[in-house]
Amino acid sequence: MSVSELKERHAVATETVNNLRDRLRQRRLQLLDTDVARYSSAQGRTPVSFGATDLVCCRTLQGHTGKVYSLDWTPERNRIVSASQDGRLIVWNALTSQKTHAIKLPCAWVMTCAFSPNGQSVACGGLDSVCSIFSLSSTADKDGTVPVSRMLSGHRGYVSCCQYVPNEDAHLITSSGDQTCILWDVTTGLKTSVFGGEFQSGHTADVLSVSISGSNPNWFISGSCDSTARLWDTRAASRAVRTFHGHEGDVNTVKFFPDGYRFGTGSDDGTCRLYDIRTGHQLQVYQPHGDGENTPVTSIAFSVSGRLLFAGYASNNTCYVWDTLLGEVVLDLGLVQDSHKNRISCLGLSADGSALCTGSWDSNLKIWAFGGHRRVI
Amino acid sequence: MPMKKKMKEEEEEEECGECLFAEEYDGPPLSYNIPCALPINMEKIPVAAVVSPVCISDNMSFPVIQPILAVDSLGKKFLVPSSVSPTSVIDNCGSSELELVSDSITVSPEEEEEEGDEDCGLSSSGELLLLRSCSSVNHQESRTLDFCDSSVKENELSNPLVPDWESNESVLSMDYPSSRVTGDCCVSETNGDGKKQQVVTFLGIASDDDGFEEEEESCNQKRIRVVPVKKEPQTKGKKGSCYRCFKGSRFTEKEVCLVCDAKYCSSCVLRAMGSMPEGRKCVTCIGFPIDESKRGSLGKCSRMLKRLLNDLEVKQIMKTERFCEANQLPAEYVYVNGQPLYPEELVTLQTCANPPKKLKPGDYWYDKVSGLWGKEGEKPYQIISPHLNVGGPISPEASNGNTQVFINGREITKVELRMLQLAGVQCAGNPHFWVNEDGSYQEEGQKNTKGYIWGKAGTKLLCAVLSLPVPSKSTASTSGEQHYSANSRSILDHLEHRTLQKILLVGNSGSGTSTIFKQAKILYKDVPFLEDERENIKVIIQTNVYGYLGMLLEGRERFEEEALAVRNTKQCVTENIPADEGDAKSYNKTVYSIGPRLKAFSDWLLKTMAAGNLAVIFPAASREYAPLVEELWRDAAIQATYKRRSELGLLPSVASYFLERAIDVLTPDYEPSDLDILYAEGVTSSSGLACLDFSFPQTASEENLDPSDQHESLLRYQLIRVPSRGLGENCKWIDMFEDVGMVVFVVSMSDYDQVSEDGTNKMLLTKKLFESIITHPIFEHMDFLLILNKYDLLEEKVERVPLTRCEWFEDFNPVVSRHRGSNTGNPTLGQLAFHYMAVKFKRVYSSLTGKKLFVSSSKSLEPNSVDSSLKLAMEILKWSEERTNICLSEYSMYSTEPSSFSN
């Protein structure tokens, strides 16, 4: 078979795939008689209302000297790890707002960090294409540098996101600029499986984010620059379980809905979307109205009930709180007192949902808690 | 400046109005001269005292003080509490503000304080008033903090020490609705604000009487010439109470802010000081320099904090408190031999083997020869490391002696003289001694050492009695070292952070960024590659060579087929007689045929390569197959193929370098040389980021060029090489490099006839990348240096392949002189091509950004060429730094420059 013949066949196949995809989209549109917001407003639901003091900044974590890029909470709810461009990981006690560890990284260009489920170690990754794991119990040497306890190297592009598999300290999933996600065995430092890449049907551009389902730890979602999100099963790495189309820009962030059957995405096209993993349908688009220019979504998080969606945007210090049911913005954290002074780059809820932490390019992290009677939404 | 000359030459090659550029390069020398033209004169220093009106004592004897006296007298007037004359402007506004206060106060719990308030407010001489207006701004921020923190105030009843989410929330929920009622009814937003502000701010003037006096005292004592702006705490509580909850008395345990002296009780301290990114400071004081009188307590933790926080947290706070930049001793407050120190000098002083203890702002004298160190006007206090290049020359009356005996040009004090006499030194006739660091002394103008001051055992005891310093040999060697590693490292660390200049190295793959990076590593690092790095590199090189071999073998197969095909057709054409058996065998043999054993190896190698796991089986394979490789390489067929290597498209040009030495390289005990590493592909991973910290080693010529350049040794550079992949328009990580000083874009000039996999010209791809990077918003104000790399290859190639092969370079028609080569004055075709490309890129750059581009050519395999390119980068960085200085200070003088820059 000659090269030209192969090329021809490839072109034909691509065409077919595109046709099928288009038909699928058409079909989905036909089936889509309503979305969440329309349905619930028809049911007479009203949006959550926020008073001025319902969500207040109760702690400011100062100590980084560069942009904060990533943060993660421990499951036992009072500690936070943050990664910043000053080349440090800082572990905070969220209650006292003090640091407990400051880890100087060998490579300052860090993009992501994660707490292990038992809270004993932290992982981080960045432009060095390596996911490094630091044990918090190891003692620092004279210069105050904590030794790397494990290097997970094997990615051929920057490590954009990492997350521990819930309740498994030995397993970690990373996403990377080399278009793959990798499940690692932390104890051995070896790859358990690779999702996507050359010989498999995976993402066709940089993978920017992963989120592991809380209800079924075998499932995880990845979001990518090919403007799709994909659902994977860690037991079957060969191909994605499902691919979710819909976004018109890079999918910067994905996050599982608390029930584990839905997930949210945030994208460069300025929208957040809610997808159902069982039907593959897009349930809702969250698009701020007005002023044409779409500001990319940098990071999202759901409240424990899933009623609220917190989304950080790339412009100024905008951070909208969406009512997921009605698709309306109910609060802008950027306009609340004590808000950040620069882009909010990452956010996350504590495990019990009582507090939200936001990290910003103004080098601070802030913890927001519900000030009103309503404790947790 | 050879580099500048070179640049100028390049500029002159350009056409149309480029002469402006040439002017511009006359700039730097000018600007160099200006800073060093300022001689720091002893006589001039007292003039600087004008800035600090507060602390000038009455016995000022300088003739310059006319205006200061006025201020001083004003200040004195204020100091008398009741005799306030309401004439001056300051007074007026002060009193009016106070009136405001008394208006707005409805319930004031501390009436007796009000009078005190007035005193303090007025007694401060202008400065404080200014500060007060600042602090009102500050307070606007802090007010909100109070607002949501009010929970804790009430919280403290239940469990003040361990704030918890639950309690916090519950209190919040109780607290908020009630507090909202007062001020937050959206209509009277401003109204509410205003009210709050008044209440909070203007009551805040009340400062501790004690504190104020203390400050006055310390100022007089230290005679600081540059007075740090001191922040005043704000309290509305009673004397001695917590500054936040106004509870407690003088005797309750409290934590003090290092900047403003505010005191907080244990339940408030965490709220008032937040996460303490710079140690124990109020949230509003973060970023301000600490009160110098509290320097001693830096890093010393109180019991209260230990109780409130766990060990790790306390450790972190104390660490940041000691080492964060804002808390370091400001260099300009330390005067050595009458000169304020530069930050670099201070670091030298602090990081030397035997640093002065308890360095505080103030005047010191330092005898560089013997290492004697003391406060100005006093006897020596310590012997520190000698020969440090800090401060000015020592003056004879540095220690205010009157004994007519001189040591190293300093008239010594009586105590010292007594010591010398008791130590058995002949001091008759007012001699001038020359004392070295080891204590050996000689009379000035004589060569022979007369003895050792510290030689006698009794001398040290004597010194102890007279409280004179003795050299500390033991500390210098052991504990001094320790000190260095623990303490000074961190000081250096934060300093490094400040002086580190980052250079971003970008370029398409194959442009030679990695070679430049490796070259820089070899050039500027003492140990460019560690042992295990070399081991890795060895494996990489060997794997590469197997790869090259594989390509050769692939080529061999192709050539063999071709040769056979050619021969077959030939045979068919010439004669139709079928060949017999024996013939067929020899007949199928061509120059490119190899034996069966080698054939098997070749098949195996090609198979592993095709499977893509060549890297996996190494280095195990190298041991096993090395002998085979030798045989293979010696085989005539391979040599024949190698001769036709130019036809093998995949084989990179560096392959021949390694293939010719394949036998050496593939032996197990092969050790790569620096040159091998330079040639090797894939040493710096193409996917990851690599960075290198370095400083330019000083050359002799540079050292005597400019004395102020001495500090440059501290200037450190970081070369960051980023992968070219994904560097397009929507790059997700490019904004991490916002803080780089400049971008070095590398272009391979020999790429003009190369075609990438998808059929576009590589030079056009480079142009595209270049355009997308220079127009990226985060590089908007960045300087760019274009390195046109692989000049050697270009020179060679341009003779064979016309530059016009690339469509972007279509209009390249150089005027080539017929006598090329014979006449050295004429540029070669390579030079012409280089200048042409430079101009092309410059045009693109200036049309897109409106700025001008710096260009340099280089041959990345030649150390000198890379060195000069990187030095050029350094020059540009320095120049752009000075340019901002000039623009700030003497804008009018250089007003022509911005216009020339906008070209």
Side-chain angles (χ1 to χ4, degrees), chain B residues 74-87:
Chain B
L74 264 177
K76 256 193 262 165
K77 232 185 270 170
F78 293 155
L79 275 171
V80 187
S82 52
S83 69
V84 177
S85 67
T87 47

Side-chain angles (χ1 to χ4, degrees), chain A residues 24-93:
Chain A
L24 197 65
R25 202 170 52 85
Q26 298 288 346
R27 185 83 186 123
R28 278 194 194 285
L29 273 179
Q30 273 175 28
L31 291 171
L32 197 69
D33 52 347
T34 182
D35 61 12
V36 176
R38 259 178 285 163
Y39 179 74
S40 46
S41 56
Q43 295 284 306
R45 305 293 288 263
T46 51
V48 181
S49 71
F50 265 96
T53 57
D54 280 352
L55 197 58
V56 292
C57 169
C58 60
R59 299 281 190 284
T60 302
L61 309 183
Q62 289 174 299
H64 278 301
T65 54
K67 299 173 187 168
V68 178
Y69 263 77
S70 174
L71 66 88
D72 194 27
W73 286 81
T74 37
E76 100 278 9
R77 89 203 168 112
N78 63 1
R79 286 194 295 160
I80 295 171
V81 62
S82 61
S84 154
Q85 283 311 283
D86 58 9
R88 274 171 216 282
L89 288 185
I90 294 185
V91 180
W92 307 86
N93 181 341

Side-chain angles (χ1 to χ4, degrees), chain B residues 766-785:
Chain B
T766 307
K767 182 188 172 213
K768 211 171 131 199
L769 180 68
F770 181 67
E771 283 169 353
S772 79
I773 284 184
I774 57 172
T775 51
H776 199 284
I778 78 150
F779 294 138
E780 202 181 336
H781 302 292
M782 206 83 63
D783 278 321
F784 273 79
L785 170 68

